Amino acid sequence: MKKATLLVNLIIGFHFMYGQSPDIEWQNTIGGNSSDLSYCIQQTSDGGYIIGGDSYSGISGDKSNPSNGSNDLWIVKLDNAGVVEWENTIGGGKYDLIYAFEQTADGGYILGATSTSGISGDKTEASQGSSDYWVIKLNNNGEIEWQNTIGGNSSDDLRAVYQTPDGGYILGGYSYSGISGDKTEASAGEYDLWIIKLDQFGSITWQNSIGGSGSDLLYSIQMTSDGGFIIGGNSSSNISADKTENSIGLTDYWVVKLNSDGLIEWQNTIGGNNNDILYSIQQTTDGGYILGGYSLSGISGDKTENLIGGSYYGDYWVIKLGSSGNILWQNTIGGSSEDILYTIEQTSDEGYILGGFSLSGISGDKTEDTLGDNADFWIIKLLSNGEIKWQNTIGGSNDDGWCAIHETTDGGYIIGGWSISEISADKSEGSMGNFDYWVVKLASECTPEPEVCNSLDDNCNGLIDDGITETISITAGGPISFCQGGSVLLTATYTGASVQWKKNGTNIPGATSTTYNVTTKGNYTCVTTSACGTAESTPIFVNVIKNPNASISAGGPTTFCAGGSVVLTEVAVAGCTYQWYKGATPIAGATSLTYIATTSGNYKCRVTKAATGCFKNSNAIAVSVPCREGELIEENNLFSIYPNPATNSFTISAELNSNSNSNLEIYNQLGQIIYSIEINNTDGIISELIQFENQPSGIYLVKIFNNNFQFEQKLIIQ
């Protein structure tokens, strides 16, 4: 496995470059005044944790219940920060050990224990042999709901328990008993695997004793996706009884696949020339299986790598099987001393997490020295192909043993084991008695990403915000040279936390957005700033071209009768062209400095710089042609109303170019005529007092009609 191809080496090199062991998030030393040894831990549905093992302590430290016998089961419930919520001591008068539990669908717990106790303490059934399976159902507060003592006339040790989809339970362990008590099959040799299926109330529905002529032990069982079961253990049996393959060494891994009724579908004996002990097995997402244990074998049999170290236990030995039990790959992992793997499981990223303990210093695969005089936790993360991604040696100055590890919902890991270490190295709490439960929560794995300024170690190299160089650039959304009145939008692309726009090196007040709209000439830059540094963009010069001057004047009156005219003149500007407009419409052909206006309208001239295309519109001059040729124009007629505003009467006066009488009409706001009178004039002069009584306040329209002319004024009555 270690003789990888160049491609694999490059891949692994990448991960070693960036792969970093997660930090310890929190830890808790839990115990009483004697020895408390934890073997199993699990995250619970509320985000907390359940930890279990056996305890020799009485009421002391964290322990609130007295001992029932030599040692008892001790179940401790923690919240998500590792603080004890409740604990329960469960046992009889002798030895009671727990190696497995699982939270059940109802929020309670199923415990798988081995007991030598008779009826005593919490134990309600007599012992059937020297040791029995002891199955206990707890509610979510840790109180016993029911229990069942299951065994034959000799030793029966329960090592695994799982709830099945039908609400029942599968039990796995090993038995030395023949047909007796609850055991319905004779022993095939020495110890045999003993699989029992319970219903939801703990009653046996079926059982199967599986073994050969030697000793066969079960340490792990799991339900498979097809409704059957996968069993992991070890065997010293040759071909005999249920065993279809001879022993390869002293003790071998023995994997057995059962169907949903507990009958053997296939099996595989895997080993080398010495002792190989399988402790943990799990079905993987590809339908195969991952095996974890330890091996003292060198290259021999199924073993493809030499022993790295150790004389009694050896090295971690990890094997990946296909769905039919064939070996896909394997990896021997260890240092120069004893390394014992207890748990392995597939992680959410398709890799694997390994938990055990190690006595090795830096040697072989081990990259960290021992932290004390004895064993430390040794956590290893593998890639999906079995190569090491990262590892972590966790411990104190003394002995830290066992190591159950599971991935948590936040992507971290929870570790349960025991420790006798005082405050030292990774241990932040002293021993409470002899051995104590030691729970360690690891943070989620660091996933390598480009380093950015965020107070995090994004690239997983152990340094926070290292090598950060903030960057910024600005771009223009259009031409950066334009005429007065135009603009261009500048946009900044940056890595910092904030930006500040500058013009000619000076901050522009309030210009702190990603974009800035430029309307004036200058050098523009943008600065980005963060806790990690500052950077300024390359400048963009914006050129705003000045528009030419434009101004027109009239050469005479701008109000005249038809047939008249007025000359409008634009002030000459060098290098420019001219275009006259009436209203918003250009006048065809009107491109000289002057224009003769003969009709009513608003006139202006657009002056355009030929070299730049920039232009400016002149002021506007209104020309009015209100009358026919020869008639007195309105602006020279005097028509007035006084007083205005008025109350009950007012006087109108007008000077007309006519001696004929005129008609006066007054209209209300609805356009209705409410007053009408004929008025005489003398030599074209009108002066008439109008009595306008009892009219409501408001605005009225007064009109005078004389021949073809009409004059009008507004009247306010108050």
Side-chain angles (χ1 to χ4, degrees), residues 665-679:
E665 295 178 354
I666 300 177
Y667 295 80
N668 63 15
Q669 295 182 64
L670 298 177
Q672 300 167 330
I673 298 176
I674 59 173
Y675 186 88
S676 177
I677 187 173
E678 183 176 347
I679 301 174

Side-chain angles (χ1 to χ4, degrees), residues 209-220:
S209 183
I210 301 171
S213 58
S215 186
D216 307 299
L217 306 179
L218 182 152
Y219 292 111
S220 182

Side-chain angles (χ1 to χ4, degrees), residues 9 68 114 129 138 182 187 202 212 366 370 406-407 476 510 513 527 536 548 588 591 595 609 689 702 704:
N9 279 327
N68 289 301
T114 298
L138 305 182
D182 298 297
S187 173
K366 195 134 188 305
T370 56
H406 301 284
E407 186 176 22
S513 298
V527 176
E536 186 167 3
T591 59
Y595 180 73
K609 196 77 171 177
L689 176 67
V702 179
I704 293 178

Side-chain angles (χ1 to χ4, degrees), residues 613-655:
C614 295
F615 65 86
K616 185 177 181 179
N617 292 328
S618 71
N619 56 300
I621 291 179
V623 173
S624 177
V625 184
C627 58
R628 292 192 297 267
E629 187 174 2
E631 294 177 329
L632 184 67
I633 62 174
E634 181 179 344
E635 68 177 25
N636 293 328
N637 288 308
L638 299 177
F639 172 35
S640 61
I641 300 174
Y642 58 91
N644 191 8
T647 52
N648 296 323
S649 63
F650 58 90
T651 298
I652 64 168
S653 64
E655 184 177 344

Side-chain angles (χ1 to χ4, degrees), residues 350-670:
E350 303 294 317
Y352 304 95
I353 191 73
L354 284 59
F357 68 83
S358 173
L359 291 164
S360 297
I362 297 174
S363 54
D365 297 296
K366 195 134 188 305
T367 59
E368 295 179 277
D369 208 351
T370 56
L371 299 171
D373 297 329
N374 293 292
D376 304 304
F377 294 174
W378 192 23
I379 311 302
I380 300 176
K381 178 65 189 306
L382 301 183
L383 301 172
S384 60
N385 64 358
E387 294 287 345
I388 295 174
K389 180 180 181 182
W390 55 257
Q391 58 179 284
N392 196 353
T393 299
I394 301 173
S397 58
N398 209 320
D399 199 14
D400 309 296
W402 193 264
C403 186
I405 186 168
H406 301 284
E407 186 176 22
T408 52
T409 53
D410 62 0
Y413 300 94
I414 191 72
I415 303 169
W418 68 71
S419 174
I420 199 173
S421 295
E422 298 294 336
I423 297 174
S424 53
D426 296 305
K427 192 110 184 327
S428 61
E429 296 179 276
S431 173
M432 305 187 71
N434 192 357
F435 285 100
D436 304 305
Y437 287 12
W438 190 25
V439 183
V440 179
K441 173 64 170 64
L442 298 184
S444 59
E445 282 192 57
C446 184
T447 301
E449 295 178 354
E451 190 79 73
V452 295
C453 184
N454 57 3
S455 299
L456 299 174
D457 176 22
D458 298 293
N459 61 4
C460 305
N461 67 350
L463 301 175
I464 294 173
D465 291 338
D466 62 304
I468 292 297
T469 301
E470 299 297 359
T471 60
I472 185 168
S473 62
I474 58 175
T475 55
I480 57 175
S481 181
F482 49 83
C483 302
Q484 282 178 305
S487 66
V488 63
L489 188 68
L490 301 183
T491 301
T493 302
Y494 57 94
T495 59
S498 63
V499 293
Q500 172 63 60
W501 290 91
K502 290 184 173 185
K503 178 184 177 183
N504 299 329
T506 302
N507 288 348
I508 303 172
T512 56
S513 298
T514 302
T515 59
Y516 182 70
N517 195 46
V518 175
T519 59
T520 58
K521 181 177 180 179
N523 271 307
Y524 290 86
T525 60
C526 193
V527 176
T528 183
T529 303
S530 73
C532 297
T534 297
E536 186 167 3
S537 71
T538 300
I540 289 179
F541 176 72
V542 176
N543 186 29
V544 180
I545 304 168
K546 188 177 179 180
N547 294 327
N549 293 324
S551 177
I552 62 173
S553 59
T558 57
T559 302
F560 46 81
C561 290
S565 66
V566 63
V567 176
L568 306 178
T569 302
E570 166 63 46
V571 176
V573 181
C576 291
T577 61
Y578 310 94
Q579 174 63 59
W580 290 88
Y581 282 77
K582 180 180 180 183
T585 304
I587 303 170
T591 59
S592 65
L593 283 172
T594 60
Y595 180 73
I596 300 173
T598 60
T599 58
S600 297
N602 287 316
Y603 291 85
K604 61 187 175 183
C605 184
R606 175 173 292 183
V607 180
T608 302
K609 196 77 171 177
T612 63
C614 295
F615 65 86
K616 185 177 181 179
N617 292 328
S618 71
N619 56 300
I621 291 179
V623 173
S624 177
V625 184
C627 58
R628 292 192 297 267
E629 187 174 2
E631 294 177 329
L632 184 67
I633 62 174
E634 181 179 344
E635 68 177 25
N636 293 328
N637 288 308
L638 299 177
F639 172 35
S640 61
I641 300 174
Y642 58 91
N644 191 8
T647 52
N648 296 323
S649 63
F650 58 90
T651 298
I652 64 168
S653 64
E655 184 177 344
L656 307 174
N657 188 21
S658 172
N659 290 320
S660 61
N661 292 339
S662 300
N663 293 320
L664 181 143
E665 295 178 354
I666 300 177
Y667 295 80
N668 63 15
Q669 295 182 64
L670 298 177

Side-chain angles (χ1 to χ4, degrees), residues 150-161:
I150 303 170
N153 57 7
S154 189
S155 295
D156 305 298
D157 293 293
L158 178 56
R159 289 296 187 129
V161 61

